[in-house]
Amino acid sequence: MAAELPLLLLLILVAPVGLLAALAFLVRPRAARIPLRGRHVFITGGSSGIGLAMATAAAREGARVSILARNAARLEGARAAIKAATEQDVGVYAADVRDATAVARSLEEAGPVDVLVCNHGVFVAKELEEQDMEDVKWMVDINLMGTFHLIKAALPAMKARTRETGVPASIAIMSSQAGQVGIYGYTAYSASKFALTGLGESLQHEVISDNIHVSLIFPPDTETPGLAEEQKSRPEVTNIIAGSSGGMKADDVAKKALNGIKSGRFIVPCNFEGAMLAIATSGLTPQSSPLIAFVEVMGAGLMRFAALCFQWNWFSTIENWYAKNKKNA
């Protein structure tokens, strides 16, 4: 037994190194650095919240920034705020992402884009049985179809731009932790956000040969005007479950998002819970980092156990809430 101990220790040391070496060969797409300075960054939902925070941070890094949103007055307010914070002017475009023609016109006016950030999004949290189908359609049209409209309109010029410059470009899609796991009250919203993962995975296959990297960003509840409105109306059970994941400030999400974009990462979590969710839901998603791939491979079983613990907690919360309210009925 004593003679076998050195061999056993060697095996313990060599196995992880061998796995890392294999992962370094396997991971795709290859890692890339995507610079912002001097490049055109186009951000939707840029008049407030995460979009405004990202636009300000990108301008501070020396990017040429354009922002798009529906409300022209709020866009002008955002432009003034960015100018005051960075001394950089930004382009502003008023359009509804549901209108493919208006989106295409805005992108044509703005010029070729190097980093496209599809940050727009709306949500109405409610049990599906109680939810108006017009609200469901509204979320799908903005969250999903609006993203299609933007990417479809921006892509030809982005491809030409990367061929011309040889510098990698990025398409970043703002999803949500509700796009990684469905929870009570988010049936329609989660559906519109889960769909973005399929869009992003397939799109990455289609554009990698053009040196364009796709990033999916998964923020938790973020302190934005949209969240404040949502919390007034979403079901109590949803508030209990969603409250178990810590919220973030828009500036902190913007920093995480831009760092992920600049690193060419496909999955960009924004907090600890998000990183755990990213491991638990990694599945067949692209991965450019051998180290993160190693954590995904080694942590998959543990994360599945943790996921079952979370589901137990959520189902218990739902059962207890309904039992309590039936007694009080």
Side-chain angles (χ1 to χ4, degrees):
M1 183 66 183
E4 295 172 355
L5 187 57
L7 184 60
L8 181 60
L9 290 173
L10 182 63
L11 183 62
I12 292 170
L13 291 172
V14 168
V17 174
L19 178 58
L20 270 171
L23 292 171
F25 171 76
L26 289 172
V27 293
R28 293 292 189 279
R30 291 301 189 190
R33 295 298 300 176
I34 299 169
L36 298 184
R37 181 173 293 279
R39 308 187 78 207
H40 187 195
V41 178
F42 191 100
I43 303 172
T44 64
S47 63
S48 64
I50 296 170
L52 177 56
M54 290 184 73
T56 304
R60 196 173 278 126
E61 290 197 31
R64 178 170 80 86
V65 175
S66 298
I67 56 176
L68 180 145
R70 284 174 292 178
N71 189 302
R74 289 177 67 181
L75 278 167
E76 289 300 331
R79 169 190 264 169
I82 295 168
K83 178 81 169 178
T86 68
E87 299 184 352
Q88 301 289 327
D89 198 13
V90 300
V92 295
Y93 301 90
D96 189 326
V97 295
R98 292 173 293 181
D99 186 339
T101 302
V103 166
R105 185 168 54 245
S106 296
L107 280 159
E108 186 176 0
E109 290 174 11
V113 173
D114 298 299
V115 177
L116 176 67
V117 182
C118 304
N119 171 68
H120 55 277
V122 293
F123 44 84
V124 177
K126 193 174 286 187
E127 298 92 338
L128 181 61
E129 186 179 4
E130 304 297 325
Q131 193 152 47
D132 191 284
M133 284 305 296
E134 285 303 310
D135 283 342
V136 175
K137 186 175 184 300
W138 181 61
M139 283 185 274
V140 171
D141 283 349
I142 292 177
N143 298 350
L144 179 58
M145 294 309 300
T147 303
F148 274 112
H149 294 158
L150 280 154
I151 296 170
K152 180 81 170 173
L155 206 47
M158 290 186 77
K159 288 183 174 183
R161 182 87 154 180
T162 58
R163 285 195 297 268
E164 176 189 334
T165 65
V167 181
S170 172
I171 296 172
I173 300 169
M174 190 65 67
S175 184
S176 163
Q177 286 184 358
Q180 293 172 292
V181 59
I183 64 168
Y184 187 104
Y186 276 6
T187 303
Y189 178 63
S190 283
S192 73
K193 289 296 188 176
F194 265 84
L196 296 177
T197 298
L199 187 166
E201 288 182 4
S202 299
L203 182 67
Q204 182 62 96
H205 285 180
E206 296 176 11
V207 300
I208 190 59
S209 61
D210 296 290
N211 207 12
I212 299 173
H213 292 257
V214 176
S215 291
L216 282 170
I217 303 158
F218 294 96
D221 277 354
T222 305
E223 295 174 15
T224 64
L227 177 66
E229 286 302 310
E230 183 217 6
Q231 286 178 327
K232 294 177 184 177
S233 61
R234 70 184 182 185
E236 185 180 351
V237 179
T238 308
N239 278 326
I240 295 168
I241 293 173
S244 64
S245 176
M248 293 182 69
K249 294 186 180 298
D251 286 343
D252 295 330
V253 172
K255 183 178 179 181
K256 293 280 188 182
L258 285 176
N259 285 341
I261 291 167
K262 290 187 290 184
S263 300
R265 291 184 61 184
F266 183 78
I267 299 294
V268 183
C270 295
N271 62 1
F272 177 76
E273 290 89 347
M276 296 302 100
L277 271 173
I279 296 169
T281 60
S282 55
L284 289 170
T285 56
Q287 180 55 263
S288 58
S289 167
L291 185 58
I292 296 175
F294 180 82
V295 174
E296 289 171 348
V297 170
M298 299 304 292
L302 179 61
M303 285 302 101
R304 178 55 181 155
F305 179 77
L308 291 170
C309 292
F310 274 106
Q311 288 290 352
W312 173 83
N313 181 54
W314 294 338
F315 276 100
S316 297
T317 298
I318 294 164
E319 289 166 8
N320 292 337
W321 188 87
Y322 273 93
K324 175 185 173 183
N325 281 269
K326 279 181 181 177
K327 283 182 181 178
N328 295 334

